[in-house]
Amino acid sequence: MDYNKEFDKAVRAVKAEGRYRVFADLERKRGEFPNARFHDHNGVRDVTVWCSNDYLGMGQNEHVLNAMHMAVDKVGAGAGGTRNIAGTTHYHVLLERELASLHGKEAALLFTSGYVGNEATLSTLAAIMPDVVIISDAYNHASMIQGIRQGRCEKRIWKHNDLSHLEELLKEIPKERPKVIAFESVYSMDGDIAPLAEICDLADKYGALTYLDEVHAVGLYGEQGGGIAQRDGIQNRIDIIEGTLGKAFGVMGGYIAASSNIVDAIRSYASGFIFTTALSPVLVAGALASVQYLKSAGSLREQHQERAASLKKVLKDAGFPVMPSESHIVPILVGDPVACKRVTDLLLEKHNIYVQPINYPTVPRGTERLRLTPSPLHSDDHFQALLAALEDVWAELRLAKAA
């Protein structure tokens, strides 16, 4: 068999569909977010980043950076291996306590990423409860889908945020059979928000556990940044909350927060935790500082929401096809993968604006889009530069504006 031919064929197929991904070579500039240096064959130039998931710029926050400097000076770089063999650094203990407190839970458990947290926890739930049925929202993240697949349990897919369909599926499952409803709070590509309280009502009615992915909400919503469940006052009704330290908290890592029994069971059975080298204590120290800082940073969250709402208005007023969004996500519909890639190429080449195209399989075919994530550090001048650039690119490519 010609192995290289097969790999080449696979890559050419992706390119033919217009969804081949090219990674921008970016160098973040300390203290200057959302500005960065872009490296290509023409050299180095400054660009403005419009698609980072470092939603609040905490990756540049002095409290976070100072905590990381202090940690590397105090304990060194790495964790020394898995927590089972090398032991747990004290920073891990402190951060897990802080995350449990943030979500009003008894315990928390760190993973190397949010992806690993979802994959490991959901697959382990299936292993612990072999007769379980996991009912998954149709728009759930790939990490959740993969975790459910790895669990090899029965699964049902409910139409996105459709409570009637969810209840139909729950009715079909015997009440005594274990079941888990898996869903997100903020869906990051459309920017819509799940009806958390109503989902919890159905879980109570039909005896299901609730598993909530809050990765695009932690740090951003709620009195202390605990997410949508905290904002809505229903953290106590969610059995397992999964979050990330790599988005609004600006560092790296993932976690779950739940009862002591649930966390202990996942810790004891999840391969994705047991056999993986622990996060560097330097990263954990930075994440700890970020979580603590954002607990009392309500004004920063208010600024973030204002920036998102203002950008939506600016773009809508100019006639751009801004997709409906309840959250801080600002999606602009393009509807074609080739055109979407061309838009982002021109924005970077001509206007020094970096936005990554969002194409299939991240979103359904025909809904290709730009996904803008304004931060509190994006100024009105940034807005006007973006608007002028979009006007130019839309005209050059003869793209349709909103009806």
Side-chain angles (χ1 to χ4, degrees), residues 54 56-61 64 247-251 289-290 293-294 300:
D54 185 359
L56 301 175
M58 290 301 293
Q60 305 291 313
N61 182 279
V64 174
K247 293 183 171 59
F249 291 125
V251 190
S290 185
Y293 180 89
L294 287 180
L300 188 61

Side-chain angles (χ1 to χ4, degrees), residues 43-66:
V44 182
R45 54 194 166 96
D46 289 341
V47 298
T48 303
V49 177
W50 274 99
C51 56
S52 174
N53 284 342
D54 185 359
Y55 292 125
L56 301 175
M58 290 301 293
Q60 305 291 313
N61 182 279
E62 287 299 319
H63 295 277
V64 174
L65 301 183
N66 289 339

Side-chain angles (χ1 to χ4, degrees), residues 84-96:
N84 297 282
I85 293 175
T88 291
T89 72
H90 191 54
Y91 288 111
H92 285 72
V93 175
L94 295 176
L95 179 54
E96 286 174 342

